[in-house]
Amino acid sequence: MFDIFFVQQLVNGLSVGFIYALMAIGFTLIFGVLNVVNFAHGEIYMIGAYAGWLSITIFAPPLFVVILIALAIGALAGFSLERIAFRPFRRFRDEASLKSKAMREATLLSSLAISIIVREVAEKIFGSNMQTIPQDYLLLTPIEIGPLSFASGQFLIFGLSIVMLGGLQWLLKRTRVGLAIRAVANNPMGATYVGINTERTIIATFVIGSTLGATAGLVVGLYQGAIFPAMGFAPGIKAFVAMVMGGLSSIGGAVVCALILGVAEAVTTSFFAQGWGDLVAYVFLIITLIFFPTGLFGGGRERV
Amino acid sequence: MTKYYRTLFATICLAAFSCGASAQNKTIAIGYHAPLSGENAQYGALFRNSATLAVDEFNKSGRLPGVTVQLKFEDSKGESKEGVNIARKFSDDPSILAAIGDFSSGVSMAAGQVYAQTKLPQLSQTASHPDFVKISEYQFRNITTMSYESPLIAKWALANGAKKIAVVAIQNDWGQSVVSNFVDYVKANGGEITDVEMFNPGTRDFRSILTKVARGKPDAIYLGSFYEDGSAFLQQKVQLGLKQQMYGTSSLYSQKLLELAGPAANNLNLSTTFMLDSPEPHVKAFVKDYEARYGSKPDMFAAQAYDATNIVLKAFVAAGGANATRAKVRDAMAATKDFPGVTGVTSFDPKTREPAKLLTKLEIQNGKFVLVK
């Protein structure tokens, strides 16, 4: 059983895991700051993919330009999302509202509403079917290393995850914006009292998180050859599971858990029917919640 | 003035009488129900186009002198209860000798329960549920099901020298029937099934399934899916460097597959009943007439409806035209043999009323569907 096919299966699993990880990074960042789940993250991912696809079909720029366009559209989408779905609920500055659970859950639903609206609008405009991607842009070029087969997209996704994770750590630990984000994540009231512009910090978090999400969507769309309105849903669920397993606010933890999920699914598929793969992911989630209620990498007080 | 009216009345009577006497014009009708609104409205529109085309051609051809065939269309909205209402309405209309419809198996079967009681023959152009034709001896269909198609592909693969075959199909009712019919045939005819993999609807990453399939070292892979999953599967198969022959279900026959999968679709073998650029003259004529009248190219669904209508019209002729009754039309439909349709030569099994068709074999070469002889 432990032959070259098994190794290939691990490669497949890691590549799926990195896809979940790409999504989980932006997800966890926003959760860490606002302490709410951003259900529209999957749609940001889809918007990034469509922005890239539109630019490819309209004027066919080189790939890195396409990625830059997705980044820009992602930033814009993140800004708008925060403005429409999150800011209206922060109008009330009194302590009771800031601590209110109902307020938090309201944004959970408003982001869900935005996600449904955006997805339906995309379906109305582009149709619910998969878009045709020009062959030159597909990240499916086989790269063979010995008996193992990799795709060019797998390296790009791997590289992108490392860059995102590293870049984010640098941003959070070494820059003023990062310091502000960490301060707001840790104690929003305290941050306000010491003169941090909370509003601007929250916007910055959304813009950064959504940029990452949009880029992820584009790269994964090109790697799977599948860009369609509902593309953000399935990886969004897995990213959510990875975030919960990783302790809700630990970005590194979410990435590690995303990789565990991906590999577990692939290995399960190689021994059972594919349907069992999802089951394993959720069994992991439940086991984690029972034995590590704060997640595998949670526990600490400091968020992000 | 009264005199004037009296004369007019007399003239009209005379005209009507003489007309009836000279041409003995009788109207018989086909009741057609399909979704013209709602989610599947696009299919209903195609059916109406094709059926109107077929009936107009028939009336012009004069194959039944003195008889005009009328097409009565009703919108079932894709709902079973509408299907039942329409079936009652059609059954109460004495001019209707046969019904065609509906689009989905569900609505067709609901309407079929009514037709079974009122003994009105019903032909569905698309209902593929196994139980549809089992309702009563009044139900017919002219679309082939997987119990017909899968063994045919299995036979083809075995004939091409594939001994060990893996099957990958979507996890739903239809996918199950793709697999079971294929596996049974291969096993009964000396082949070996290395692996059966069902994938969840919505799967976009097939690498782990492909890696698992590759471990069994099959000669060929049979894929039962629609073109979106299919194109992702084919692309990832090429990326993983698997060299197995590919066979697929007729659901993959779509221009979109070629667009989405690009060169990865090459060498896929599949079958279809309707081929748009078929060299056969009657298919060419249908495509030309349809496009001239409606401004778009017909697809498989339009072709199915065109054949269904023509099968019924042929049964009207065989049942005696002006003297046809519902029972005679039913018997004539059951006797359909070697009907030269645009979706292939069709015969109905007189007992099970399941259709048999010559499936056209295709291979994708250089990004095009090419006929395999």
Side-chain angles (χ1 to χ4, degrees), chain A residues 28-74:
Chain A
T28 314
L29 181 67
I30 292 173
F31 183 90
V33 174
L34 285 183
N35 211 1
V36 289
V37 178
N38 171 20
F39 272 119
H41 199 66
E43 274 55 46
I44 300 282
Y45 177 90
M46 182 266 289
I47 287 174
Y50 270 89
W53 169 74
L54 277 174
S55 69
I56 288 172
T57 46
I58 293 169
F59 56 98
L63 185 61
F64 78 92
V65 179
V66 179
I67 293 181
L68 286 181
I69 291 172
L71 276 169
I73 299 291

Short mmCIF file of all heavy atoms in Angstrom, two decimals, chain A residues 28-74:
data_model
loop_
_atom_site.label_atom_id
_atom_site.label_comp_id
_atom_site.label_asym_id
_atom_site.label_seq_id
_atom_site.Cartn_x
_atom_site.Cartn_y
_atom_site.Cartn_z
N THR A 28 -9.18 33.77 8.77
CA THR A 28 -8.74 33.82 10.16
C THR A 28 -8.32 35.23 10.55
O THR A 28 -8.56 35.67 11.68
CB THR A 28 -7.57 32.84 10.38
OG1 THR A 28 -7.91 31.60 9.75
CG2 THR A 28 -7.31 32.60 11.84
N LEU A 29 -7.71 35.94 9.62
CA LEU A 29 -7.27 37.31 9.90
C LEU A 29 -8.47 38.16 10.30
O LEU A 29 -8.44 38.86 11.32
CB LEU A 29 -6.60 37.89 8.65
CG LEU A 29 -6.07 39.31 8.79
CD1 LEU A 29 -4.91 39.35 9.77
CD2 LEU A 29 -5.64 39.87 7.44
N ILE A 30 -9.56 38.06 9.51
CA ILE A 30 -10.74 38.88 9.79
C ILE A 30 -11.41 38.42 11.08
O ILE A 30 -11.83 39.23 11.90
CB ILE A 30 -11.71 38.84 8.60
CG1 ILE A 30 -11.07 39.56 7.41
CG2 ILE A 30 -13.05 39.47 8.95
CD1 ILE A 30 -11.82 39.46 6.12
N PHE A 31 -11.43 37.12 11.31
CA PHE A 31 -12.02 36.63 12.55
C PHE A 31 -11.24 37.14 13.75
O PHE A 31 -11.79 37.57 14.75
CB PHE A 31 -12.06 35.10 12.58
CG PHE A 31 -12.74 34.58 13.80
CD1 PHE A 31 -14.11 34.35 13.79
CD2 PHE A 31 -12.04 34.34 14.97
CE1 PHE A 31 -14.75 33.90 14.92
CE2 PHE A 31 -12.68 33.89 16.10
CZ PHE A 31 -14.04 33.67 16.08
N GLY A 32 -9.90 37.10 13.63
CA GLY A 32 -9.06 37.50 14.74
C GLY A 32 -9.32 38.93 15.18
O GLY A 32 -9.26 39.24 16.36
N VAL A 33 -9.61 39.80 14.23
CA VAL A 33 -9.79 41.21 14.57
C VAL A 33 -11.20 41.49 15.06
O VAL A 33 -11.41 42.12 16.08
CB VAL A 33 -9.46 42.09 13.36
CG1 VAL A 33 -9.79 43.54 13.65
CG2 VAL A 33 -7.99 41.95 13.01
N LEU A 34 -12.19 41.02 14.31
CA LEU A 34 -13.56 41.40 14.62
C LEU A 34 -14.27 40.36 15.46
O LEU A 34 -15.35 40.62 15.98
CB LEU A 34 -14.35 41.58 13.32
CG LEU A 34 -14.05 42.85 12.54
CD1 LEU A 34 -14.96 42.94 11.34
CD2 LEU A 34 -14.22 44.06 13.43
N ASN A 35 -13.67 39.17 15.54
CA ASN A 35 -14.30 38.09 16.29
C ASN A 35 -15.65 37.70 15.69
O ASN A 35 -16.57 37.29 16.39
CB ASN A 35 -14.47 38.52 17.75
CG ASN A 35 -14.40 37.33 18.68
OD1 ASN A 35 -14.21 36.21 18.20
ND2 ASN A 35 -14.54 37.55 19.97
N VAL A 36 -15.80 37.89 14.37
CA VAL A 36 -17.01 37.41 13.69
C VAL A 36 -16.58 36.64 12.45
O VAL A 36 -15.51 36.88 11.89
CB VAL A 36 -17.94 38.55 13.22
CG1 VAL A 36 -18.60 39.21 14.38
CG2 VAL A 36 -17.18 39.53 12.36
N VAL A 37 -17.43 35.69 12.05
CA VAL A 37 -17.14 34.94 10.85
C VAL A 37 -17.59 35.76 9.65
O VAL A 37 -18.70 36.29 9.64
CB VAL A 37 -17.89 33.59 10.87
CG1 VAL A 37 -17.62 32.83 9.59
CG2 VAL A 37 -17.46 32.78 12.07
N ASN A 38 -16.71 35.88 8.67
CA ASN A 38 -17.06 36.61 7.46
C ASN A 38 -17.52 35.61 6.41
O ASN A 38 -16.71 35.02 5.70
CB ASN A 38 -15.85 37.40 6.98
CG ASN A 38 -16.08 38.00 5.62
OD1 ASN A 38 -17.21 38.15 5.19
ND2 ASN A 38 -14.99 38.33 4.95
N PHE A 39 -18.82 35.41 6.33
CA PHE A 39 -19.34 34.40 5.40
C PHE A 39 -19.15 34.78 3.95
O PHE A 39 -19.30 33.95 3.07
CB PHE A 39 -20.82 34.13 5.68
CG PHE A 39 -21.04 33.08 6.70
CD1 PHE A 39 -21.70 33.35 7.88
CD2 PHE A 39 -20.56 31.79 6.48
CE1 PHE A 39 -21.89 32.37 8.83
CE2 PHE A 39 -20.74 30.81 7.43
CZ PHE A 39 -21.41 31.10 8.61
N ALA A 40 -18.87 36.05 3.69
CA ALA A 40 -18.73 36.47 2.30
C ALA A 40 -17.32 36.23 1.77
O ALA A 40 -17.03 36.59 0.64
CB ALA A 40 -19.11 37.94 2.15
N HIS A 41 -16.45 35.62 2.57
CA HIS A 41 -15.08 35.42 2.11
C HIS A 41 -15.04 34.54 0.86
O HIS A 41 -14.23 34.77 -0.04
CB HIS A 41 -14.23 34.81 3.22
CG HIS A 41 -12.77 34.97 3.00
ND1 HIS A 41 -12.15 36.20 3.02
CD2 HIS A 41 -11.80 34.07 2.73
CE1 HIS A 41 -10.86 36.04 2.76
NE2 HIS A 41 -10.62 34.76 2.59
N GLY A 42 -15.92 33.55 0.78
CA GLY A 42 -15.98 32.68 -0.40
C GLY A 42 -16.35 33.47 -1.65
O GLY A 42 -15.92 33.13 -2.75
N GLU A 43 -17.13 34.52 -1.48
CA GLU A 43 -17.54 35.31 -2.65
C GLU A 43 -16.41 36.26 -3.07
O GLU A 43 -16.25 36.56 -4.24
CB GLU A 43 -18.83 36.07 -2.35
CG GLU A 43 -20.08 35.24 -2.63
CD GLU A 43 -20.10 33.90 -1.90
OE1 GLU A 43 -19.81 33.89 -0.68
OE2 GLU A 43 -20.39 32.87 -2.54
N ILE A 44 -15.62 36.70 -2.08
CA ILE A 44 -14.44 37.51 -2.42
C ILE A 44 -13.51 36.66 -3.29
O ILE A 44 -12.96 37.12 -4.29
CB ILE A 44 -13.70 37.95 -1.12
CG1 ILE A 44 -14.61 38.78 -0.23
CG2 ILE A 44 -12.40 38.65 -1.46
CD1 ILE A 44 -14.80 40.22 -0.65
N TYR A 45 -13.38 35.42 -2.89
CA TYR A 45 -12.56 34.43 -3.61
C TYR A 45 -13.07 34.29 -5.05
O TYR A 45 -12.31 34.34 -6.01
CB TYR A 45 -12.74 33.14 -2.82
CG TYR A 45 -12.13 31.84 -3.24
CD1 TYR A 45 -10.86 31.48 -2.82
CD2 TYR A 45 -12.87 30.91 -3.98
CE1 TYR A 45 -10.34 30.23 -3.13
CE2 TYR A 45 -12.36 29.67 -4.29
CZ TYR A 45 -11.09 29.33 -3.86
OH TYR A 45 -10.60 28.09 -4.16
N MET A 46 -14.41 34.21 -5.18
CA MET A 46 -15.03 34.09 -6.51
C MET A 46 -14.83 35.37 -7.31
O MET A 46 -14.50 35.32 -8.50
CB MET A 46 -16.51 33.77 -6.30
CG MET A 46 -17.31 33.55 -7.55
SD MET A 46 -18.12 35.04 -8.11
CE MET A 46 -19.40 35.25 -6.88
N ILE A 47 -14.99 36.53 -6.65
CA ILE A 47 -14.83 37.81 -7.35
C ILE A 47 -13.39 37.93 -7.89
O ILE A 47 -13.18 38.35 -9.02
CB ILE A 47 -15.16 38.99 -6.41
CG1 ILE A 47 -16.67 39.05 -6.18
CG2 ILE A 47 -14.65 40.30 -6.98
CD1 ILE A 47 -17.10 40.08 -5.16
N GLY A 48 -12.42 37.51 -7.08
CA GLY A 48 -11.03 37.55 -7.54
C GLY A 48 -10.84 36.71 -8.79
O GLY A 48 -10.21 37.13 -9.76
N ALA A 49 -11.45 35.50 -8.78
CA ALA A 49 -11.31 34.61 -9.93
C ALA A 49 -11.96 35.23 -11.17
O ALA A 49 -11.39 35.21 -12.26
CB ALA A 49 -11.94 33.26 -9.62
N TYR A 50 -13.16 35.81 -11.00
CA TYR A 50 -13.84 36.40 -12.14
C TYR A 50 -13.11 37.64 -12.66
O TYR A 50 -13.04 37.86 -13.87
CB TYR A 50 -15.30 36.74 -11.80
CG TYR A 50 -16.24 35.60 -12.10
CD1 TYR A 50 -16.49 34.62 -11.14
CD2 TYR A 50 -16.84 35.47 -13.34
CE1 TYR A 50 -17.32 33.55 -11.42
CE2 TYR A 50 -17.68 34.41 -13.62
CZ TYR A 50 -17.92 33.46 -12.66
OH TYR A 50 -18.74 32.40 -12.95
N ALA A 51 -12.57 38.45 -11.72
CA ALA A 51 -11.83 39.64 -12.16
C ALA A 51 -10.65 39.21 -13.02
O ALA A 51 -10.41 39.77 -14.10
CB ALA A 51 -11.36 40.43 -10.95
N GLY A 52 -9.93 38.18 -12.55
CA GLY A 52 -8.79 37.69 -13.32
C GLY A 52 -9.24 37.12 -14.66
O GLY A 52 -8.66 37.43 -15.70
N TRP A 53 -10.32 36.36 -14.63
CA TRP A 53 -10.80 35.74 -15.87
C TRP A 53 -11.24 36.79 -16.88
O TRP A 53 -10.93 36.70 -18.07
CB TRP A 53 -11.96 34.78 -15.53
CG TRP A 53 -12.67 34.30 -16.73
CD1 TRP A 53 -12.23 33.36 -17.63
CD2 TRP A 53 -13.95 34.73 -17.21
NE1 TRP A 53 -13.16 33.19 -18.62
CE2 TRP A 53 -14.21 34.02 -18.39
CE3 TRP A 53 -14.88 35.65 -16.74
CZ2 TRP A 53 -15.39 34.20 -19.12
CZ3 TRP A 53 -16.05 35.83 -17.46
CH2 TRP A 53 -16.29 35.11 -18.62
N LEU A 54 -11.94 37.82 -16.39
CA LEU A 54 -12.39 38.89 -17.31
C LEU A 54 -11.19 39.59 -17.93
O LEU A 54 -11.17 39.85 -19.14
CB LEU A 54 -13.25 39.91 -16.55
CG LEU A 54 -14.72 39.54 -16.39
CD1 LEU A 54 -15.42 40.57 -15.50
CD2 LEU A 54 -15.41 39.47 -17.74
N SER A 55 -10.17 39.88 -17.10
CA SER A 55 -9.01 40.57 -17.66
C SER A 55 -8.30 39.68 -18.68
O SER A 55 -7.82 40.15 -19.70
CB SER A 55 -8.06 41.01 -16.55
OG SER A 55 -7.46 39.89 -15.97
N ILE A 56 -8.29 38.37 -18.42
CA ILE A 56 -7.66 37.45 -19.38
C ILE A 56 -8.43 37.45 -20.69
O ILE A 56 -7.84 37.56 -21.77
CB ILE A 56 -7.63 36.01 -18.80
CG1 ILE A 56 -6.61 35.91 -17.68
CG2 ILE A 56 -7.31 34.99 -19.89
CD1 ILE A 56 -6.64 34.61 -16.92
N THR A 57 -9.75 37.36 -20.62
CA THR A 57 -10.51 37.27 -21.88
C THR A 57 -10.55 38.62 -22.60
O THR A 57 -10.66 38.65 -23.82
CB THR A 57 -11.97 36.80 -21.63
OG1 THR A 57 -12.49 37.54 -20.54
CG2 THR A 57 -12.03 35.33 -21.32
N ILE A 58 -10.44 39.73 -21.87
CA ILE A 58 -10.55 41.03 -22.55
C ILE A 58 -9.21 41.44 -23.17
O ILE A 58 -9.14 41.75 -24.34
CB ILE A 58 -11.10 42.11 -21.60
CG1 ILE A 58 -12.55 41.79 -21.24
CG2 ILE A 58 -11.03 43.49 -22.27
CD1 ILE A 58 -13.11 42.62 -20.12
N PHE A 59 -8.12 41.44 -22.37
CA PHE A 59 -6.88 41.90 -23.00
C PHE A 59 -5.66 41.02 -22.74
O PHE A 59 -4.54 41.42 -23.03
CB PHE A 59 -6.59 43.37 -22.65
CG PHE A 59 -6.53 43.68 -21.19
CD1 PHE A 59 -5.31 43.76 -20.53
CD2 PHE A 59 -7.69 43.91 -20.47
CE1 PHE A 59 -5.26 44.06 -19.19
CE2 PHE A 59 -7.64 44.20 -19.11
CZ PHE A 59 -6.42 44.28 -18.48
N ALA A 60 -5.88 39.81 -22.23
CA ALA A 60 -4.84 38.80 -22.14
C ALA A 60 -3.47 39.31 -21.67
O ALA A 60 -2.49 39.21 -22.38
CB ALA A 60 -4.69 38.08 -23.48
N PRO A 61 -3.40 39.89 -20.46
CA PRO A 61 -2.09 40.34 -19.96
C PRO A 61 -1.28 39.17 -19.42
O PRO A 61 -1.82 38.07 -19.27
CB PRO A 61 -2.47 41.29 -18.83
CG PRO A 61 -3.79 40.77 -18.34
CD PRO A 61 -4.46 40.08 -19.47
N PRO A 62 0.03 39.38 -19.12
CA PRO A 62 0.80 38.29 -18.50
C PRO A 62 0.21 37.92 -17.12
O PRO A 62 -0.49 38.73 -16.52
CB PRO A 62 2.20 38.88 -18.34
CG PRO A 62 2.19 40.22 -18.95
CD PRO A 62 0.83 40.56 -19.39
N LEU A 63 0.55 36.72 -16.68
CA LEU A 63 -0.08 36.19 -15.47
C LEU A 63 0.08 37.10 -14.26
O LEU A 63 -0.87 37.30 -13.50
CB LEU A 63 0.46 34.79 -15.18
CG LEU A 63 -0.23 34.08 -14.01
CD1 LEU A 63 -1.71 33.88 -14.28
CD2 LEU A 63 0.42 32.74 -13.73
N PHE A 64 1.29 37.68 -14.06
CA PHE A 64 1.46 38.48 -12.83
C PHE A 64 0.60 39.74 -12.86
O PHE A 64 0.15 40.21 -11.83
CB PHE A 64 2.94 38.78 -12.55
CG PHE A 64 3.53 39.88 -13.37
CD1 PHE A 64 3.54 41.20 -12.92
CD2 PHE A 64 4.10 39.60 -14.60
CE1 PHE A 64 4.09 42.21 -13.68
CE2 PHE A 64 4.65 40.60 -15.36
CZ PHE A 64 4.64 41.91 -14.90
N VAL A 65 0.32 40.26 -14.07
CA VAL A 65 -0.59 41.41 -14.17
C VAL A 65 -2.01 40.97 -13.79
O VAL A 65 -2.72 41.68 -13.08
CB VAL A 65 -0.56 42.01 -15.60
CG1 VAL A 65 -1.54 43.17 -15.70
CG2 VAL A 65 0.84 42.46 -15.96
N VAL A 66 -2.39 39.77 -14.25
CA VAL A 66 -3.71 39.24 -13.89
C VAL A 66 -3.83 39.15 -12.38
O VAL A 66 -4.85 39.53 -11.79
CB VAL A 66 -3.93 37.85 -14.54
CG1 VAL A 66 -5.29 37.31 -14.15
CG2 VAL A 66 -3.82 37.93 -16.04
N ILE A 67 -2.76 38.67 -11.74
CA ILE A 67 -2.79 38.53 -10.28
C ILE A 67 -2.91 39.91 -9.62
O ILE A 67 -3.67 40.09 -8.68
CB ILE A 67 -1.54 37.76 -9.78
CG1 ILE A 67 -1.61 36.32 -10.28
CG2 ILE A 67 -1.45 37.81 -8.26
CD1 ILE A 67 -0.47 35.44 -9.85
N LEU A 68 -2.18 40.90 -10.18
CA LEU A 68 -2.27 42.26 -9.63
C LEU A 68 -3.69 42.81 -9.74
O LEU A 68 -4.20 43.45 -8.82
CB LEU A 68 -1.29 43.20 -10.36
CG LEU A 68 0.19 43.01 -10.02
CD1 LEU A 68 1.05 44.00 -10.78
CD2 LEU A 68 0.41 43.15 -8.52
N ILE A 69 -4.34 42.51 -10.88
CA ILE A 69 -5.72 42.98 -11.06
C ILE A 69 -6.63 42.34 -10.02
O ILE A 69 -7.45 43.00 -9.39
CB ILE A 69 -6.20 42.67 -12.50
CG1 ILE A 69 -5.44 43.57 -13.48
CG2 ILE A 69 -7.71 42.88 -12.64
CD1 ILE A 69 -5.66 43.24 -14.93
N ALA A 70 -6.44 41.01 -9.82
CA ALA A 70 -7.25 40.32 -8.82
C ALA A 70 -7.02 40.92 -7.43
O ALA A 70 -7.95 41.10 -6.65
CB ALA A 70 -6.94 38.83 -8.82
N LEU A 71 -5.74 41.27 -7.15
CA LEU A 71 -5.41 41.88 -5.86
C LEU A 71 -6.18 43.19 -5.69
O LEU A 71 -6.80 43.43 -4.65
CB LEU A 71 -3.91 42.22 -5.83
CG LEU A 71 -2.91 41.14 -5.44
CD1 LEU A 71 -1.49 41.59 -5.73
CD2 LEU A 71 -3.06 40.82 -3.97
N ALA A 72 -6.16 44.02 -6.74
CA ALA A 72 -6.80 45.34 -6.66
C ALA A 72 -8.30 45.19 -6.47
O ALA A 72 -8.90 45.83 -5.60
CB ALA A 72 -6.49 46.13 -7.92
N ILE A 73 -8.91 44.30 -7.28
CA ILE A 73 -10.36 44.10 -7.18
C ILE A 73 -10.71 43.52 -5.81
O ILE A 73 -11.70 43.90 -5.19
CB ILE A 73 -10.86 43.17 -8.31
CG1 ILE A 73 -10.58 43.78 -9.68
CG2 ILE A 73 -12.34 42.85 -8.16
CD1 ILE A 73 -11.40 45.01 -10.00
N GLY A 74 -9.84 42.63 -5.31
CA GLY A 74 -10.06 42.03 -4.00
C GLY A 74 -10.07 43.11 -2.91
O GLY A 74 -10.92 43.11 -2.03
#
